[in-house]
Each structure stands twice: as C-alpha cells, then as structure tokens.
Amino acid sequence: MTGEKILIVEDERAVARGLEYGLRDAGFEVQWAETGARGLTLATGWQPHLIILDIRLPDISGYDVCRRLRREGQRQPILMLTARDEEVDKILGLELGADDYVVKPYSLRELISRIRALIRRTYGEFALAAGPTLISVEDLQIDLERMWVHRRGTPIDLTPTEFRLLRHLVTHANHPVSRDALIEAVWGYDSDLGNDRTIDVHIRHLRQKLEDDPANPRYLLTVRSVGYKFQMA
Ligand code: CA
C-alpha cells in the first residue's frame, strides 16, 4: 500500500517533522498544516485519504476542525492526537465524528499500523459474505453495499467507523461478537492496544442514533462478558 495522501495538522514542528518523515518513509504522500485554518483549507483542497489532527492547535482547536470537516461533508478517516487518555469520550463524540485517536507520546509504528488499518477499512475492497446486501428490520433499512442506513425512511448519518461496526454486527446477526473480533474487523489490529473502550463508545453512539430507547436497546444488545450482537428477529 503506497501513495495514499495523509494530512498532518499539528503545530509542534518537531512532532510534525518526525511524523512527516516517518510517513513518507512508509510510502505515504504527506502534507503538513501548522494551523487549524490551513488544515481546513488543505483538507478540502488537497483531499487527503486520512487526516491526523492534533487537538491543541494555536488557532482553531482540533475538535472544531474535526466538527467543521464533518459538517462540510468531508468523510475521510480522522485520527486525533491527544495528550490525555481521558479525552477519548469527547474525541469519539457523536457530534465530532473522529474515527480513532492516539495518545501522545505514541510509537510511530503503532501510529502507522492504525493509519494503514483505517485506510484499508475505509477504502479497501469489502468482500461481503454471500447474502442479501439490503437488510430490513422493523424500522431500520441498512444497505451494506452502498453504506447507508435509514430509520423510518429518514437517512441516519453514521461515521465510517460506526458503519463498519454496524455492518460487521449485522452480517453476524443474532450471534454474539466479541470486542476483540470487532476491533479486528473494524480497525484491523489486535486488541493488545487496549481499545475495548473505543468499541463501547461507538456502540453507545450507534444506539443513540438507531434505538428508540438507547438504554434498552432493541437491535444492539450487550452480551455479558463477550461483546455485542445485532438482534435481527
Ligand atoms: Ca499542539
């Protein structure tokens, strides 16, 4: 895999330069924006395949950059850089729409494997198991191929990560899927990196978007000590 375009939005020159060097070395095409404003311009003008976005920027915060990109309909995977793990809830927040995050200091190897996984999951070929691609359950219609979800006829706006998670659960409907299997299916790396919480946060968001009563879900059920399952019937 080479040549994908990656935009780094990061004001710390040393961090950005290190990243730029490492990513170029890994075969990516890289541009660097030192401010949020420049990041927004490059994100729409250059159309990167993935955006690495620092939260603390001198002008517009990474949160606002992310929010604005999603509002403008930019759907590239966004990987946020944060200094603190506690920010995960906000980073993966409903209105924000980031796909993943890495806590500083991170290893370049880990970051690159996250980037590759996100790109593969977003743009890679999706070999759907034999079966229907248009799923209808009560008030939900899910098109697995064209990646849309309607609820009572109204389109539901899911982030690419939320959709991949839902798609994996739906293609294994009525069967419990472990968090490890979800992490592998959705992000493509193993759970040693400790992202169970990421799964839980995304599931919570999916419930808020798809369920009448997110606290008592009809579709996305918790399977105690295993993970989750999509209840079809
Ligand atoms: Ca910064």
Side-chain angles (χ1 to χ4, degrees):
M1 175 188 313
T2 51
E4 281 88 359
K5 299 191 281 185
I6 299 190
L7 173 63
I8 302 167
V9 188
E10 163 68 89
D11 59 311
E12 286 158 76
R13 200 181 181 87
V15 174
R17 284 295 182 210
L19 263 178
E20 194 178 3
Y21 181 82
L23 292 174
R24 287 224 169 100
D25 196 46
F28 295 105
E29 205 182 314
V30 184
Q31 291 236 31
W32 169 38
E34 214 169 339
T35 61
R38 178 83 184 129
L40 284 168
T41 306
L42 279 174
T44 43
W46 187 49
Q47 286 290 311
H49 294 92
L50 180 140
I51 300 165
I52 299 174
L53 184 55
D54 185 35
I55 287 177
R56 268 162 262 285
L57 295 166
D59 53 342
I60 315 165
S61 82
Y63 293 125
D64 286 330
V65 172
C66 187
R67 208 172 282 128
R68 281 197 215 177
L69 287 172
R70 291 303 187 227
R71 211 179 290 146
E72 286 169 14
Q74 299 290 323
R75 303 301 294 263
Q76 301 102 325
I78 296 178
L79 192 151
M80 305 282 278
L81 297 180
T82 171
R84 288 183 302 136
D85 207 17
E86 304 88 76
E87 287 173 319
V88 54
D89 286 305
K90 189 166 178 193
I91 290 170
L92 301 174
L94 257 188
E95 40 142 16
L96 213 56
D99 294 278
D100 201 356
Y101 69 100
V102 168
V103 180
K104 292 177 179 176
Y106 48 81
S107 87
L108 191 60
R109 253 184 74 192
E110 179 191 330
L111 186 73
I112 288 175
S113 83
R114 298 276 187 105
I115 288 169
R116 289 216 158 108
L118 272 174
I119 286 180
R120 190 169 60 240
R121 300 293 148 170
T122 308
Y123 306 102
E125 205 137 348
F126 172 55
L128 195 64
T133 57
L134 190 62
I135 310 285
S136 237
V137 201
E138 293 183 12
D139 58 359
L140 282 187
Q141 284 81 45
I142 304 164
D143 190 323
L144 296 175
E145 227 162 29
R146 278 176 286 180
M147 293 184 64
W148 58 248
V149 179
H150 284 206
R151 187 171 169 230
R152 296 192 195 103
T154 306
I156 304 293
D157 198 19
L158 299 186
T159 68
T161 299
E162 286 163 0
F163 190 85
R164 288 193 297 275
L165 193 54
L166 179 67
R167 184 167 60 189
H168 193 79
L169 287 165
V170 166
T171 51
H172 298 81
N174 300 329
H175 295 283
V177 183
S178 71
R179 287 185 178 78
D180 285 357
L182 286 171
I183 290 168
E184 174 61 33
V186 174
W187 284 273
Y189 47 76
D190 65 51
S191 57
D192 292 353
L193 298 169
N195 271 262
D196 283 11
R197 247 187 106 199
T198 308
I199 293 280
D200 297 340
V201 171
H202 283 297
I203 290 282
R204 199 163 74 229
H205 296 161
L206 274 172
R207 282 178 175 154
Q208 279 161 358
K209 292 180 178 183
L210 304 179
E211 303 277 2
D212 279 332
D213 180 3
N216 294 293
R218 149 72 183 86
Y219 303 111
L220 293 160
L221 308 187
T222 301
V223 183
R224 196 180 286 271
S225 74
V226 179
Y228 296 97
K229 82 171 168 184
F230 186 87
Q231 188 68 39
M232 196 69 106

